[in-house]
Amino acid sequence: MKYAIYCGSSAGSDPQFLQATQALAAEICQRKHSIVYGGASVGLMGAVADAVLTGGQRVTGVMPKALIDKELQHQGLSELHIVEDMQQRKAKMAELADAYIAMPGGVGTLEEIFEVWTAGQLGFHAKPCAFYNVDGYYDELIAFAQTMVKKQFMKGLYLDKLIVSDDPQTLLTQIAEYQAPASKWG
Ligand code: AMP
């Protein structure tokens, strides 16, 4: 199993984000799984790559040319794809992964997980999408998604199928057991 990990190019306000990143990486390594991510050495992006590599598992990076300097390309990756732009990065990561995980992050992280979540809703793929909800970081986002369901802009099924957990073992087990819903347009 290869997970696409979307996460902050910053490390966040509290050391717990780093610790939680290492806990998820440890669970990935325990299962002998691998990751694909944005290829940077900064923030939680760098932290998850370091931790998975230290745990002896493969890390694939996908870095757009224009960001190599800004996000500081990680030098120790198992494999690195240099792509033209952000669109190609997202497409490559989506293609290489069997499942998608958003760890805490900023708008870049949200943009990436929302793209694969919506693609799943439309039936373009049948892969699980998950939020690693460290210290309730995504509680308000999930609450807003519940508002979308309540106001009938999203079917409850698509929220029910979203995997949300602050526990790495639960998160990866639910990913392993995932069954895709029918597509929005049947
Ligand atoms: P952030 O969560 O904002 O720290 O960003 C996390 C990652 O998302 C970084 O590698 C950003 O380069 C990337 N990112 C930001 N905006 C976009 C976008 N529009 N499309 C794809 N990736 C993005």
mmCIF file of all heavy atoms in Angstrom, residues 48 60 65 93 106-107 110 132 138 140 142 144 159 179:
data_model
loop_
_atom_site.group_PDB
_atom_site.id
_atom_site.type_symbol
_atom_site.label_atom_id
_atom_site.label_comp_id
_atom_site.label_asym_id
_atom_site.label_seq_id
_atom_site.Cartn_x
_atom_site.Cartn_y
_atom_site.Cartn_z
ATOM 1 N N VAL A 48 7.606 13.923 7.774
ATOM 2 C CA VAL A 48 7.019 12.605 7.465
ATOM 3 C C VAL A 48 7.976 11.810 6.574
ATOM 4 O O VAL A 48 8.144 10.595 6.748
ATOM 5 C CB VAL A 48 5.595 12.731 6.857
ATOM 6 C CG1 VAL A 48 5.587 13.245 5.429
ATOM 7 C CG2 VAL A 48 4.872 11.387 6.925
ATOM 8 N N THR A 60 8.573 8.414 -1.997
ATOM 9 C CA THR A 60 8.635 9.001 -3.332
ATOM 10 C C THR A 60 8.225 10.460 -3.238
ATOM 11 O O THR A 60 7.200 10.784 -2.630
ATOM 12 C CB THR A 60 7.663 8.252 -4.282
ATOM 13 O OG1 THR A 60 8.031 6.876 -4.300
ATOM 14 C CG2 THR A 60 7.729 8.819 -5.689
ATOM 15 N N LYS A 65 9.183 21.913 -10.737
ATOM 16 C CA LYS A 65 10.461 22.623 -10.959
ATOM 17 C C LYS A 65 10.536 23.930 -10.183
ATOM 18 O O LYS A 65 11.521 24.236 -9.539
ATOM 19 C CB LYS A 65 10.585 22.966 -12.448
ATOM 20 C CG LYS A 65 11.162 21.886 -13.294
ATOM 21 C CD LYS A 65 11.286 22.412 -14.721
ATOM 22 C CE LYS A 65 11.605 21.265 -15.664
ATOM 23 N NZ LYS A 65 11.232 21.539 -17.038
ATOM 24 N N MET A 93 0.952 12.375 -7.937
ATOM 25 C CA MET A 93 0.746 11.831 -6.585
ATOM 26 C C MET A 93 -0.522 10.982 -6.544
ATOM 27 O O MET A 93 -0.543 9.889 -5.973
ATOM 28 C CB MET A 93 0.661 12.962 -5.561
ATOM 29 C CG MET A 93 2.003 13.614 -5.282
ATOM 30 S SD MET A 93 1.885 15.012 -4.139
ATOM 31 C CE MET A 93 1.379 14.205 -2.615
ATOM 32 N N GLY A 106 -1.940 23.631 5.728
ATOM 33 C CA GLY A 106 -2.608 24.875 5.357
ATOM 34 C C GLY A 106 -3.457 24.710 4.109
ATOM 35 O O GLY A 106 -3.927 23.604 3.802
ATOM 36 N N VAL A 107 -3.633 25.797 3.358
ATOM 37 C CA VAL A 107 -4.535 25.736 2.199
ATOM 38 C C VAL A 107 -4.007 24.808 1.105
ATOM 39 O O VAL A 107 -4.786 24.222 0.365
ATOM 40 C CB VAL A 107 -4.841 27.134 1.605
ATOM 41 C CG1 VAL A 107 -5.828 27.877 2.481
ATOM 42 C CG2 VAL A 107 -3.596 27.947 1.382
ATOM 43 N N LEU A 110 -5.230 21.436 1.983
ATOM 44 C CA LEU A 110 -6.679 21.323 1.738
ATOM 45 C C LEU A 110 -6.968 21.198 0.254
ATOM 46 O O LEU A 110 -7.790 20.390 -0.173
ATOM 47 C CB LEU A 110 -7.415 22.543 2.310
ATOM 48 C CG LEU A 110 -7.493 22.612 3.826
ATOM 49 C CD1 LEU A 110 -8.343 23.802 4.246
ATOM 50 C CD2 LEU A 110 -8.086 21.332 4.398
ATOM 51 N N TYR A 132 -6.148 12.890 9.014
ATOM 52 C CA TYR A 132 -5.482 12.539 10.283
ATOM 53 C C TYR A 132 -5.727 13.735 11.216
ATOM 54 O O TYR A 132 -5.067 14.766 11.102
ATOM 55 C CB TYR A 132 -3.994 12.330 10.006
ATOM 56 C CG TYR A 132 -3.149 11.895 11.186
ATOM 57 C CD1 TYR A 132 -3.664 11.126 12.230
ATOM 58 C CD2 TYR A 132 -1.797 12.243 11.227
ATOM 59 C CE1 TYR A 132 -2.856 10.726 13.289
ATOM 60 C CE2 TYR A 132 -0.980 11.842 12.279
ATOM 61 C CZ TYR A 132 -1.514 11.084 13.305
ATOM 62 O OH TYR A 132 -0.708 10.689 14.345
ATOM 63 N N TYR A 138 -9.013 19.142 12.469
ATOM 64 C CA TYR A 138 -9.999 19.248 11.385
ATOM 65 C C TYR A 138 -11.453 19.233 11.868
ATOM 66 O O TYR A 138 -12.371 19.114 11.052
ATOM 67 C CB TYR A 138 -9.769 18.127 10.358
ATOM 68 C CG TYR A 138 -8.577 18.405 9.459
ATOM 69 C CD1 TYR A 138 -7.454 17.583 9.470
ATOM 70 C CD2 TYR A 138 -8.576 19.505 8.603
ATOM 71 C CE1 TYR A 138 -6.365 17.848 8.647
ATOM 72 C CE2 TYR A 138 -7.481 19.780 7.787
ATOM 73 C CZ TYR A 138 -6.387 18.944 7.808
ATOM 74 O OH TYR A 138 -5.314 19.221 6.989
ATOM 75 N N GLU A 140 -13.516 21.537 12.857
ATOM 76 C CA GLU A 140 -14.416 22.557 12.271
ATOM 77 C C GLU A 140 -14.697 22.266 10.795
ATOM 78 O O GLU A 140 -15.786 22.550 10.298
ATOM 79 C CB GLU A 140 -13.833 23.969 12.410
ATOM 80 C CG GLU A 140 -13.983 24.535 13.805
ATOM 81 C CD GLU A 140 -12.645 24.708 14.485
ATOM 82 O OE1 GLU A 140 -11.741 23.864 14.265
ATOM 83 O OE2 GLU A 140 -12.494 25.689 15.232
ATOM 84 N N ILE A 142 -14.874 19.263 9.453
ATOM 85 C CA ILE A 142 -15.840 18.160 9.423
ATOM 86 C C ILE A 142 -17.233 18.691 9.808
ATOM 87 O O ILE A 142 -18.246 18.314 9.218
ATOM 88 C CB ILE A 142 -15.403 17.008 10.363
ATOM 89 C CG1 ILE A 142 -14.008 16.486 9.957
ATOM 90 C CG2 ILE A 142 -16.421 15.875 10.371
ATOM 91 C CD1 ILE A 142 -13.847 16.059 8.515
ATOM 92 N N PHE A 144 -18.320 21.636 9.216
ATOM 93 C CA PHE A 144 -18.842 22.357 8.049
ATOM 94 C C PHE A 144 -19.334 21.375 6.988
ATOM 95 O O PHE A 144 -20.356 21.598 6.337
ATOM 96 C CB PHE A 144 -17.801 23.313 7.469
ATOM 97 C CG PHE A 144 -18.348 24.107 6.324
ATOM 98 C CD1 PHE A 144 -19.413 24.985 6.522
ATOM 99 C CD2 PHE A 144 -17.841 23.957 5.045
ATOM 100 C CE1 PHE A 144 -19.961 25.694 5.461
ATOM 101 C CE2 PHE A 144 -18.384 24.664 3.979
ATOM 102 C CZ PHE A 144 -19.446 25.530 4.183
ATOM 103 N N LEU A 159 -19.783 11.888 3.131
ATOM 104 C CA LEU A 159 -19.140 12.249 4.395
ATOM 105 C C LEU A 159 -18.915 10.988 5.231
ATOM 106 O O LEU A 159 -17.856 10.826 5.837
ATOM 107 C CB LEU A 159 -20.000 13.275 5.154
ATOM 108 C CG LEU A 159 -19.377 13.820 6.432
ATOM 109 C CD1 LEU A 159 -17.987 14.394 6.188
ATOM 110 C CD2 LEU A 159 -20.286 14.882 7.048
ATOM 111 N N GLN A 179 -14.432 0.500 1.409
ATOM 112 C CA GLN A 179 -15.168 0.119 0.202
ATOM 113 C C GLN A 179 -15.777 1.384 -0.374
ATOM 114 O O GLN A 179 -16.483 2.109 0.329
ATOM 115 C CB GLN A 179 -16.283 -0.851 0.558
ATOM 116 C CG GLN A 179 -15.729 -2.097 1.235
ATOM 117 C CD GLN A 179 -16.450 -3.352 0.827
ATOM 118 O OE1 GLN A 179 -17.642 -3.334 0.612
ATOM 119 N NE2 GLN A 179 -15.717 -4.433 0.711
#
